[in-house]
């Protein structure tokens, strides 16, 4: 990694899927001290980071500290910020699964809205006390989603000027957090950047999300649920490409700006599920085609039809483009899940997730 300019980095949500990938990348490729603040919720697991700490030198491993803190606990949060004394905060901690936000929206308001507000308050107080040089170079990077923009028709793409139109409790809570972050920039001059990224996939993702869920169902020869007509479109991005974008924006993004990050990987859910099944036919051949396991199930309430991202700003300003093709990244991901079934069983049991349907708004 070319000259990562921050000595002390606080990452929130580093025990989750994307945060974990970011923590590992920074431990391997920078000299920064990394503080991973996480409440260690149902989707958290630090096995990937533990493996990384084992693989790097002892001196590098000493640059890492886990802070078990809930953003809703303001006192503990203040202490954690004081201890970490960060030059950069990358904020990923959030409740992140749309289906769960349909069943239990309040947890999303607590973590994503109140949690972000608490973090902004703690960070503002820390930042205001920094000596001038550190204060000037300080950054708060808020990691958000393309879902804040709502749903597209057949054509068009989201970009940085697209109006907000969130339509699920998850996306509404993320939109609220984006607005709070911008408000702290306009009102207090806190030096913020925001990224709005499309759907991620890759190793270490909790098994409730579409791609790992389908891989595991196919592997266990269980019925593979396809929501509605399967024609909802998502713009898939490999997690390593997202992390690359986060590092670039944190280091070089223009203060006060937001950047849309997408994979130019638009596909219907049906195409994604079929492609996973075709790869599984080669990797784990059985008598029947894996696609025969696909079963249409009731659609997600309020299911957004299409997301697509125009990433031209981050490409022209910062030189970012995705390095992985969808197919290559999907093969890497499928092979990883085939080789890590034990991990999947462990985190599913820990998170009390048995692979069943959630998000139907049942009373
Ligand atoms: P994840 O659910 O795998 O991890 C989130 C982590 O945040 C978990 O470890 C959880 O314990 C932690 N967390 C939640 N609430 C907290 C709180 N109150 N205090 C402290 N920690 C808390 O999620 P992810 O997929 O890694 O997503 C990370 C971020 O990226 C989220 O902000 C999400 O909105 C955003 N994002 C995700 C995607 C995607 O496809 N996964 C796409 C775009 C943006």
């Amino acid at each position: 990694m070319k000259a990562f300019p921050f000595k002390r980095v606080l990452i929130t949500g580093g025990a989750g899927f994307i945060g974990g990938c970011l923590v590992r990348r920074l431990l391997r490729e920078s000299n920064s001290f990394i503080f991973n603040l996480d409440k260690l919720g149902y989707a958290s697991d630090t096995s990937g980071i533990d493996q990384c700490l084992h693989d790097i030198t002892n001196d590098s491993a000493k640059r890492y500290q886990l802070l078990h803190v809930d953003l809703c606990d303001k006192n503990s949060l203040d202490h954690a910020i004081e201890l970490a004394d960060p030059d950069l905060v990358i904020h990923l901690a959030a409740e992140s699964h749309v289906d769960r936000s349909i069943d239990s929206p309040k947890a999303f308001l607590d973590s994503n809205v109140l949690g972000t507000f608490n973090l902004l308050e703690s960070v503002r107080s820390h930042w205001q006390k920094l000596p001038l040089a550190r204060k000037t170079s300080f950054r708060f990077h808020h990691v958000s989603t393309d879902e804040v923009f709502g749903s597209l028709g057949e054509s068009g793409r989201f970009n940085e000027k697209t109006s907000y139109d969130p339509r699920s409790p998850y996306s509404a809570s993320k939109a609220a957090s984006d607005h709070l972050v911008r408000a702290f920039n306009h009102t207090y001059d806190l030096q913020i950047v925001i990224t709005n990224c499309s759907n991620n996939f890759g190793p270490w993702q909790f098994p409730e999300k579409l791609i790992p869920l389908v891989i595991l169902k196919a592997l266990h020869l269980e019925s593979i649920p396809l929501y509605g007509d399967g024609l909802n479109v998502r713009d898939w991005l490999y997690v390593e490409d997202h992390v690359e974008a986060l590092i670039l924006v944190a280091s070089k993004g223009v203060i006060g700006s937001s950047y849309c990050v997408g994979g130019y990987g638009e596909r219907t859910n049906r195409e994604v599920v079929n492609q996973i099944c075709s790869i599984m036919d080669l990797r784990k051949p059985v008598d029947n085609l894996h696609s025969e396991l696909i079963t249409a199930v009731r659609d997600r309430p309020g299911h957004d039809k299409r997301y697509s991202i125009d990433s031209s700003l981050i490409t022209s300003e910062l030189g970012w483009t995705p390095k992985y093709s969808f197919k290559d990244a999907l093969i890497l991901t499928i092979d990883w899940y085939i080789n890590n079934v034990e991990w999947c069983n462990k985190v599913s049991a820990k998170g009390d997730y048995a692979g069943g349907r959630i998000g139907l708004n049942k009373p």
Side-chain angles (χ1 to χ4, degrees), residues 16-18 38-39 41 44 70-71 92 96 111 144 170 174 200:
F17 164 53
I18 302 170
D38 201 297
K39 73 173 179 185
S44 306
D70 189 326
L71 293 174
L92 297 103
S96 69
S111 280
S144 191
Y170 164 65
K174 289 297 290 186
N200 283 214

Side-chain angles (χ1 to χ4, degrees), residues 321-337:
T321 47
K323 292 198 174 112
Y324 292 82
S325 74
F326 179 76
K327 187 177 173 200
D328 289 349
L330 190 61
I331 291 171
L332 286 174
T333 305
I334 289 174
D335 286 342
W336 188 90
Y337 277 93

Side-chain angles (χ1 to χ4, degrees), residues 12-21 36-45 67-73 77 91-97 107 110-112 114-116 142-147 170 174 177 195-201 204-206 208-209 236-237 239 242 246 261:
T12 74
F17 164 53
I18 302 170
C21 187
N36 175 6
L37 185 153
D38 201 297
K39 73 173 179 185
L40 302 180
Y42 79 93
S44 306
D45 185 73
L67 305 171
H68 182 184
V69 172
D70 189 326
L71 293 174
C72 296
D73 175 353
L77 178 58
H91 176 37
L92 297 103
E95 292 299 335
S96 69
H97 190 32
D110 290 343
S111 280
N112 303 1
L114 182 64
T116 300
H142 177 59
V143 179
S144 191
T145 164
D146 60 352
E147 302 194 25
Y170 164 65
K174 289 297 290 186
S177 66
T195 41
N196 294 95
C197 187
S198 58
N199 283 48
N200 283 214
F201 68 104
W204 305 107
Q205 188 170 29
F206 190 77
E208 68 188 352
K209 300 281 172 73
W236 292 95
L237 182 69
V239 64
H242 185 191
L246 295 181
V261 184

